[in-house]
Amino acid sequence: MTTNLKQALKTHFGFDNFRSKLQEDVVKAVQRGDRDVFVCMPTGAGKSLCYQLPAVLAEGITLVISPLIALIQDQVDHLKELNIPACSINSKLPVSERRLILADLGSSNPKLKLLYITPEMVASPAFQPCLMDLCSRGLLSYLAVDEAHCVSQWGHDFRPDYLKLGELRARLQGVPCLALTATAPKNVQEDIIQSLRLSSPLSFLTPVFRSNLHYDVIFRELLPNPYVHLCAFIKKTLSLGGGSNGQGCGIVYCRTREGCETVAHQLTKLGVVAKPYHAGLKATDRTGVQNEWMQGKVLVIVATISFGMGVDKANVRFVAHWNLAKSLASYYQESGRAGRDGLPSACRTYYSPRDKEQINFLIRQEVARKQEKRGFAKDTDKTAMTDFEAMVSFCEQEGCRHATISKFFGNTAPNCAGACDYCRNPKLVRAQLERAATLSTKIGAAQSSEPKGAFGFQPDTYGGGKKGYGFERYDEGEGYSEDDPFKRKKEFSELFKKQMSMRKGNDSSQREEFVPPDIDCPLREASSQRIPKLSVK
Ligand code: ADP
C-alpha cells in the first residue's frame, strides 16, 4: 500500500515523499476509513494533504469544512492547478456556477473530488438535501473538518456555527470524519472530539517534547542584578555557536515597548549588542532590525511578541522571556523558536510575581471590558485566565518543565533526561522556590489583605518600565489591540497604581540579596538521537 500511496503522492501532488511519518500514518488511517481521526499538528506540517490524498483516491466526494472563504479559495485554486477536481459553494459564487456544481453532485457519477464549504453554508436548508442525498447514495467518502479548534469554546477562534457540525456528523452515518487542528491544549482537543461527536477517534498528536531544548526558570527578584545575569546567560548560550549556520543568535521577549528599549540598552551597556523590536518603531526600522538579525549582523533581538510570526531561523540558541508569557500555549510557541536546527538550545523565563500580578490584572480588565461591551459573560472569558494560570504553574510548581508542557498538550510525560532545571537538580529548584516564598512571606506580612498568589513581592524596577509601573499595553497580543492603547495604558496604569498603593510595607530595604543556585543553562550534548516517539492513542 505504501508504494501505491507514494506513487499517488507523486502523481497527484508532485511530492516524492511524505513530509513525516506522522503525515503518512494519518493518510493511511483516513484511507482505512474504519475509525474517525483526530489530528493535532503544527501549522505548516502538511495537514491538508492528510485528507486531500485519500480524497483523490476515493470513489466519491470529500466534504471539507473550513472557516474562511479566503482560505477555501486558496486551497481550491491550488488543487485546480494540480488538476484535481475541487470547488467550493459559498455565498459569493454566482448562481449559474452553483447550479452547475449541484447538477454534478446530483449526477450518478460526480466528477468532483473535494467540495469545500463554510459551516454556515453547510447548515443552510438549500444544501442539506443535496448532502443527505450524496450520503444515502454512498457517494460521500469523508467529512474533513479543518481548523477544528473553531468548534471549541476554549479555542481562540470559537465560531458558533461550528457547533452545529456535531449534529451534521451524527446524521452522516457511516461517513468517516477527520478533524484537524494546529497544536492545541488538551482541554481544546477534548472539546473538539466531544463537540464533533467523533466516535473513539484515532488521535495523532505531534509530540511536543523537543529534547534539544533546555527549560529553566529564574526568579528575577532574587537576583542581585538581573541584567548581569541575563547577560551571562546570553554569552554562555551564544558561545555554543550556530552549527553549520555560523554564529548562534537569540531572542529576549519583553512584554512592553519600554521593556524592550531598557533591556536592549542594558545588555549593550554590559557588552552584548542587542537591538529592540516593537510596534512603536517605524515599520522600516523594524524591518531593518529583523533583517540584521536574520543575516546574523545583530545576534540578540529584544522584542515584544509581535516578533517571531513566520520567522524561521535555524540557529536560535536561546529564547529568554524577561516577562511572563500570557499563556503556556504562547510560551511553548515562542520558546519553540529556539533550536530548530536540533542543536542544544536554552529556553529561560525570568519569572517575577510582579509580572504575574500585572498580567493577571490586565487579563481581568480585558475580560471585564469585553463583557461590558457585549453586555453578558461568556464561558470563553475563563479561557484567558486558565491559560495564564497554566503558565504561572509552570514557573511556580516543582516538577519537570517538559512534563508540564507535554501534559498541557495532552501528551504523556517525556523522558526529560536532564533537559530542564528540575530534572537536573530538583534540590536547587526547590531552594529557589523556598527562598522566594520566604521573602514573599516577610513582605506579605506587612501588606494588605488583598488576595494574591503564592508569591507577592514588592514592585521593583526590573519590570521593564522607565516610569512608575512601566505599564505599556500588553503589546501586540491578540485581543489586546482593539482600542487606543495609550488611553488604556493610562487607565491601567492609574488603576494598578491605586491597587498597589493600597499595600503597605513596600520598603525595598526588606529585599535581601539572594544568589540563586547555579542553574545557568547546563546544556547537554546534542541529543538528536533521541527522536521523540509518535503518540497515537
Ligand atoms: P498545515 O495545514 O498543516 O498548516 P499545509 O497543508 O498548508 O499545512 O501544508 C504546508 C505546506 O507543505 C504546503 O505548501 C504543502 O504543499 C506542503 N506539503 C504538504 N505535504 C508535503 C509533502 N509530503 N512534501 C512536501 N511538501 C508538502
Side-chain angles (χ1 to χ4, degrees), residues 45 84 164 185 205 325 366 441 477 521:
I84 295 172
K164 296 181 192 150
L205 315 175
E366 186 63 22
T441 315
C521 186

Side-chain angles (χ1 to χ4, degrees), residues 9 15-20 23 41-49 52 75 78 146-147:
L9 181 67
F15 299 138
D16 292 324
N17 274 305
F18 285 100
R19 178 151 261 187
S20 61
Q23 192 187 46
M41 276 155 91
T43 307
K47 287 188 283 299
S48 316
L49 191 106
Q52 287 170 344
Q75 296 266 1
H78 177 64
D146 209 355
E147 310 286 348

Side-chain angles (χ1 to χ4, degrees), residues 405-419:
I405 295 175
S406 291
K407 224 173 115 195
F408 182 75
F409 287 108
N411 286 202
T412 47
N415 175 15
C416 173

Side-chain angles (χ1 to χ4, degrees), residues 6 23 34 54 71 75 88 164 166 178 190-191 209 226 234 262 294 306 309 347 370 382 433 499 515:
K6 279 208 174 149
Q23 192 187 46
D34 53 352
L71 273 180
Q75 296 266 1
S88 84
K164 296 181 192 150
L178 163 71
E190 284 167 354
D191 212 16
F209 176 54
I234 292 176
T262 310
M294 289 299 288
S306 57
M309 282 269 226
C347 303
K370 280 188 179 166
K382 288 184 228 149
L433 286 167
Q499 189 189 52
V515 181

